[in-house]
Amino acid sequence: MASVLGRLEERERAARKRVEELQAELEAAQSEWDEWLIARRRVSEVWDGGETAGQDGEAARKPEGNEAAGPSAARPGSVVPIRREGLSAEVLAPEYQQVMSLLAERRTTAGEPLNCREITALLGLEMVPAKIEGVRSKLKRLVARGWAHEPAPGRFACGGGRDGGS
């Protein structure tokens, strides 16, 4: 029969694991929420001259028209644009540029695609579930927008263009 201390330690480990999972989930949800807030502000600036974009969804229904003008300078926390011809990785926020730089470097050395843990370590981040999940979220976003690809589940490589998109 297991000792009382052994049972306590087991329950403590389970509780800690659950806390780490919830922290990672919270971080991903916070990131998504921040992106929606930024998107709404941007749409509001473009279409309504600063009026709040959420009112009756008016701003979201207006047709796209000024996309050819090109993106502004990247800022931390900015939205990842969909990759298109002539768009370079410099339009990405600094944290995304770092990830793309690692993927591009790996491609030039003909190395294997990287997984989230490897990228987290190469970025010099703490190896905790919340940080790893944050990197995973960035990689999935880069894949969804055409900057990177996932040749095998959980393995990520640089996208089509030179240096990940120029």
Side-chain angles (χ1 to χ4, degrees):
M1 182 165 160
S3 71
V4 171
L5 288 177
R7 286 184 173 185
L8 286 174
E9 288 175 357
E10 182 178 291
R11 288 186 180 186
E12 180 183 353
R13 279 192 301 272
R16 184 71 195 143
K17 181 181 177 191
R18 178 75 175 130
V19 165
E20 289 174 352
E21 291 169 352
L22 289 172
Q23 285 174 335
E25 188 176 336
L26 176 62
E27 184 175 299
Q30 179 70 45
S31 177
E32 182 179 358
W33 181 36
D34 289 345
E35 287 178 17
W36 284 113
L37 290 174
I38 291 167
R40 183 161 59 165
R41 278 189 227 129
R42 296 294 177 251
V43 169
S44 177
E45 289 171 10
V46 171
W47 297 117
D48 297 326
E51 187 179 322
T52 303
Q55 299 170 347
D56 298 328
E58 183 65 28
R61 284 192 297 250
K62 292 188 180 179
E64 295 181 26
N66 199 16
E67 191 172 336
S72 60
R75 293 181 301 281
S78 65
V79 177
V80 176
I82 294 174
R83 186 184 174 279
R84 59 186 181 269
E85 192 63 39
L87 201 57
S88 70
E90 285 86 39
V91 302
L92 299 173
E95 60 270 18
Y96 287 92
Q97 287 181 23
Q98 291 174 332
V99 171
M100 288 305 299
S101 174
L102 288 173
L103 296 177
E105 181 181 318
R106 179 56 64 116
R107 183 177 64 183
T108 60
T109 61
E112 292 292 316
L114 297 167
N115 67 31
C116 297
R117 287 176 132 333
E118 294 166 335
I119 292 172
T120 302
L122 290 169
L123 290 172
L125 299 174
E126 190 178 358
M127 295 298 291
V128 295
K131 297 294 183 186
I132 295 167
E133 289 306 313
V135 169
R136 183 183 323 282
S137 174
K138 285 177 179 56
L139 287 161
K140 292 289 189 176
R141 191 168 297 119
L142 288 167
V143 168
R145 301 216 170 76
W147 292 92
H149 67 281
E150 192 173 5
R155 308 292 293 183
F156 299 89
C158 198
R162 143 182 124 245
D163 294 330
S166 58

